[in-house]
């Protein structure tokens, strides 16, 4: 969509419909205004998009600072001979690299990958990517084809949402849930491990609308987020104890007969087993784990079960804990127990991503693994154990080869992956061949042999879904790529050509791939469920189009129609888990790294290594304007006054925060945002610090109970004073 406008000063302006591609539930529709010279001069939220509603978050409102930053990587770069990998220049410092042409870069990289595959086997090549872009093609299409055909290791993308996602699907079969606008009809909203105001701002107007109509907002979060500060009731639960709380709520609900017998009988499976289990979770016992009072647990249970309609915004905060899968499973069962899926404004939302059924097989072509030299599916490496993968994998012969090449795109593992000291030891291996496709020089490019320039979402065309709404969107290319920046699809198409991959899919262009994702019939209409009315042409014209998930517009998820679980019902009891030898009914198991474990004798504080409100994971942390917005807590350790006093620590002191995995020095900030026994700091680039440390030096590679995902929020540390301010 391009809207023409004339202004007397600057000549014709174009307004292009684009989509914010960052890893955020909101996937905003962005209007980019481009002047006559082809320069983007303004970004704004699309007022016609029912969820974007005409505004952008503070991070992306300043997006042109990022696109036109003088620090952008705009040509291919090659590490200068003799410059060691650990050299950690500031973002502006390009001296470790020399500029080379794309042809030279692609030839040399293809040559090295080919040689490594020949010598050590293709599985010794590890692609590493996450959701730097959520554009469908940039996230996973030509890249997957390339690595599948090569026979490279497969990456299990567990760093974010696998524990919760799999847990949700065990209960409901698909990631559907309460729509954004429906939250406006709630009379009670629980934000459970969900920092709506910081991470999901486009849900907030619906929450406010509900509150204007009398709804209460209750936030369950060990940290007093902006969202918690605005709530009617902030429940500062101890980290990692949500499963206990959910089971305790169920105990009270069943004891007081507040469950929905009809919904349970008709729609659920395994109620008796669940009812037997929750008998153990008396409010008194649950109080001991969660740090709440028994009376508060009873009050919350009654309020939740008797306020109609009541909804839960369950985000991914809860599931970054060792027992996080079970916690999400238990919380997800609550709306089924009280039958709140029957009501508009009831239910729960973890993610709506299951609404989108793209033809991913056509995009990613997993069948190409059979045409690789392996002739079989390649081994799978868990991205949440990158440190292990780079330092230890391959020591046992049955694990396959050691990793000899690391190919990073859409991610900054040098900042975001847990157990950074192991990650760095791995990335420092002189013989490890590392390629990074990036927009900036990051904590990861410090270890790269080659850095390749990547486009931003203004510079390429895309198609995109969302995990926080149900609109399919088209992102037109607003401006020409800066310098020699190129999209992911282009990069992997060029590499495939140089590797001699001749399958026709390696010649596909963006247009063809957008069509493959939509899987059109003869008339051009998508065959994907929910996308029946959509053609690429119409999507380009409109910019965004809603999914139509049900013939009846009034249908509610998990109420109307069958469920896609093995039993066809909401599963309180999971035969799938039972068959794996796991507990089929949720139970509370305290994390090893928590106050409830013997480990806490050595490291007595629970650490929340948080996301920053004004960065996107590690993205934006290099931009001065964003850093200014984050200044209040940058490089600080928030701690409770009693924990500080016990250690002789005063506000502003330099403190050492450490455990067995690493240490970082921060500035103590005595804060009421954390309770006794909990400390918190914000994720940042190691590069932004003199000592090149990052809070992920402290986090572990231990995996969650369900989904084998990262456990950032189960981390114990100790803190000591180093010096006064
Ligand atoms: N501003 C901003 N927005 C973002 C991001 C960002 O970095 N910055 N990241 C994006 C990404 S990648 C994602 S996945 C989404 C995630 O969005 P959220 O799921 O909202 O992400 P988190 O901030 O990890 O966790 C939410 C809250 O859970 C709390 N929490 C931690 N441990 C526990 C616990 O044991 N129990 C309970 N009840 N709560 C707990 C945290 O204190 C946090 O406030 O946000 C996206 N949006
Ligand atoms: N301590 C701590 N660690 C965390 C978390 C936490 O809450 N606390 N959150 C975790 C979570 S939920 C997640 S999802 C991960 C996220 O971790 P990452 O996926 O690494 O996310 P970002 O830090 O946003 O880095 C994405 C990078 O991709 C680049 N990029 C953007 N678009 C493109 C593109 O089109 N092409 C290419 N080639 N590159 C592009 C950006 O410049 C950026 O450097 O971090 C995890 N790590
Ligand atoms: S980061 Fe999220 S809220 Fe901000 S513009 Fe992008 S999609 Fe919207
Ligand atoms: Mo994430």
């Amino acid at each position: 969509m391009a809207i023409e406008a004339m202004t007397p000063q600057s000549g014709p302006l174009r307004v292009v419909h684009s989509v914010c591609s960052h890893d955020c539930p909101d996937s905003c529709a962005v209007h980019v205004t481009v002047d006559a010279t082809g320069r983007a001069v303004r970004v704004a939220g699309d007022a016609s998009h029912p969820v974007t509603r005409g505004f952008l978050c503070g991070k992306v409102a300043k997006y042109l600072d990022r696109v036109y930053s003088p620090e952008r990587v705009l040509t291919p770069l090659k590490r200068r001979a003799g410059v060691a990998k650990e050299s950690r220049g500031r973002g502006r410092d390009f001296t470790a690299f020399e500029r080379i042409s794309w042809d030279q870069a692609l030839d040399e990289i293809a040559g090295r990958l080919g040689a490594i595959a020949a010598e050590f086997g293709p599985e010794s090549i590890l692609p590493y990517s996450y959701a730097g872009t959520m554009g469908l093609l940039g996230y996973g299409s030509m890249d997957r084809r390339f690595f599948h055909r090569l026979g490279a290791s497969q990456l299990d993308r567990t760093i974010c949402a696998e524990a919760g996602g799999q847990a949700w699907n065990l209960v409901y079969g698909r990631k559907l849930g309460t729509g954004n606008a429906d939250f406006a009809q709630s009379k009670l909203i629980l934000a459970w491990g969900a920092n709506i105001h910081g991470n999901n701002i486009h849900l907030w107007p619906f929450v406010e609308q509900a509150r204007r109509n009398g709804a209460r907002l209750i936030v369950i979060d060990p940290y007093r987020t902006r969202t918690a500060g605005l709530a009617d009731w902030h429940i500062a639960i101890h980290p990692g104890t949500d499963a206990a709380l959910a089971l305790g709520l169920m105990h009270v609900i069943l004891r007081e007969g507040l469950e929905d017998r009809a919904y349970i009988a008709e729609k659920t499976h395994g109620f008796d087993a669940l009812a037997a289990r929750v008998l153990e979770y008396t409010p008194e016992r649950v109080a001991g784990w969660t740090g709440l009072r028994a009376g508060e647990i009873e009050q919350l249970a009654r309020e939740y079960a008797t306020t109609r309609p009541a909804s839960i915004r369950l985000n991914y905060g809860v599931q970054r804990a060792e027992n996080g899968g079970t916690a999400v499973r238990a919380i997800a069962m609550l709306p089924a127990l009280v039958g709140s899926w029957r009501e508009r404004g009831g239910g729960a939302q973890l993610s709506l991503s299951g609404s989108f059924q793209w033809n991913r097989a056509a995009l990613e072509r997993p069948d190409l693994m059979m045409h690789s030299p392996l002739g079989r599916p390649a081994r799978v490496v868990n991205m949440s154990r990158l440190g292990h993968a780079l330092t230890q994998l391959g020591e046992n012969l049955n694990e396959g080869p050691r990793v000899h090449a690391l190919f990073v795109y859409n991610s900054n593992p040098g900042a975001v992956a847990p157990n950074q000291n192991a990650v760095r030891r791995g990335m420092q291996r002189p013989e490890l061949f590392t390629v990074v496709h990036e927009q900036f020089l990051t904590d990861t490019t410090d270890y790269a042999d080659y850095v390749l320039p990547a486009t931003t979402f203004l510079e390429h065309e895309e198609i995109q879904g969302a995990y926080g709404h149900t609109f399919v969107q088209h992102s037109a290319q607003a401006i020409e790529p800066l310098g020699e920046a190129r999209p992911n699809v282009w990069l992997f198409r060029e590499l495939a050509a140089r590797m001699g991959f001749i399958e026709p899919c390696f010649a596909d262009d963006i247009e063809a791939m957008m069509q493959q994702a939509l899987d059109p019939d003869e008339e051009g209409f998508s065959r994907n469920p929910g996308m029946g009315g959509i053609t690429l042409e119409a999507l380009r014209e409109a910019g965004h189009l809603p999914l139509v998930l049900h013939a009846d517009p009034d249908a509610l998820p998990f109420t109307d129609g069958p469920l896609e679980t093995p039993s066809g019902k909401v599963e309180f009891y999971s035969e799938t888990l039972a068959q794996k030898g796991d507990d089929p009914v949720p139970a509370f198991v305290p994390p090893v790294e928590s106050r409830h474990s013997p480990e806490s004798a050595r490291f007595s504080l629970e650490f929340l290594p948080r996301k920053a409100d004004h960065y996107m994971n590690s993205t934006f942390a290099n931009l001065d304007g964003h850093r200014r917005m984050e200044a209040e807590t940058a490089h600080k350790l928030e701690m409770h006054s009693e924990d500080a006093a016990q250690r002789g620590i005063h506000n502003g002191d330099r403190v050492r925060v450490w455990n067995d995995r690493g240490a970082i020095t921060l500035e103590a900030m005595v804060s009421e945002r954390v309770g006794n026994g909990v400390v918190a700091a914000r994720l940042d680039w190691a590069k932004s610090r003199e000592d090149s440390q990052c809070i992920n030096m402290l986090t572990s590679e231990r995996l969650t109970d369900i989904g084998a995902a990262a456990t950032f929020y189960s981390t114990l540390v100790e803190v000591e004073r180093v010096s006064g301010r």
Side-chain angles (χ1 to χ4, degrees), residues 555-624:
L556 288 164
F558 312 125
T559 295
D560 303 298
L563 278 94
E564 294 172 51
T565 54
S567 63
K569 306 215 163 165
V570 180
E571 298 207 344
F572 293 139
Y573 176 101
S574 168
E575 190 56 40
T576 310
L577 286 178
Q579 275 169 12
K580 285 203 283 183
D582 293 335
D583 197 338
V585 184
F588 173 63
V589 180
V592 172
E593 295 207 29
S594 75
R595 70 181 77 201
H596 302 293
S597 123
E599 276 290 289
S600 63
R602 297 178 58 220
F603 303 108
S604 63
L605 295 167
E606 292 171 329
F607 180 46
L608 294 176
R610 299 179 56 72
K611 296 177 186 303
D613 281 352
H614 304 98
Y615 307 152
M616 174 59 63
N617 303 304
S618 76
T619 301
F620 300 114
N622 58 321
L623 299 176
D624 292 339

Side-chain angles (χ1 to χ4, degrees), residues 205-240:
F206 300 105
V207 174
E208 281 195 317
Q209 201 179 329
R211 296 177 89 186
R212 277 197 298 277
N213 295 327
R216 262 164 63 85
L217 172 68
I218 301 178
V219 172
I220 305 175
D221 193 316
Y223 183 90
R224 194 168 182 81
T225 57
R226 294 206 304 238
T227 319
L230 292 164
D232 297 292
W233 184 12
H234 172 208
I235 298 178
I237 190 172
H238 290 163

Side-chain angles (χ1 to χ4, degrees), residues 177-179 181-187 308-311 339-347 552-557 559-560:
T178 307
D182 292 347
F183 278 93
Q185 299 192 33
S186 298
K187 289 292 176 211
R308 300 266 151 177
S311 58
S340 99
W341 289 112
R342 290 172 187 278
E343 296 156 327
R344 193 156 300 282
D552 172 5
D554 292 327
L556 288 164
T559 295
D560 303 298

Side-chain angles (χ1 to χ4, degrees), residues 247-259:
L247 291 162
L249 297 179
M250 294 183 200
H251 177 101
V252 178
I253 288 168
L254 295 185
R255 188 179 71 193
E256 304 193 356
L258 301 175
E259 74 276 18

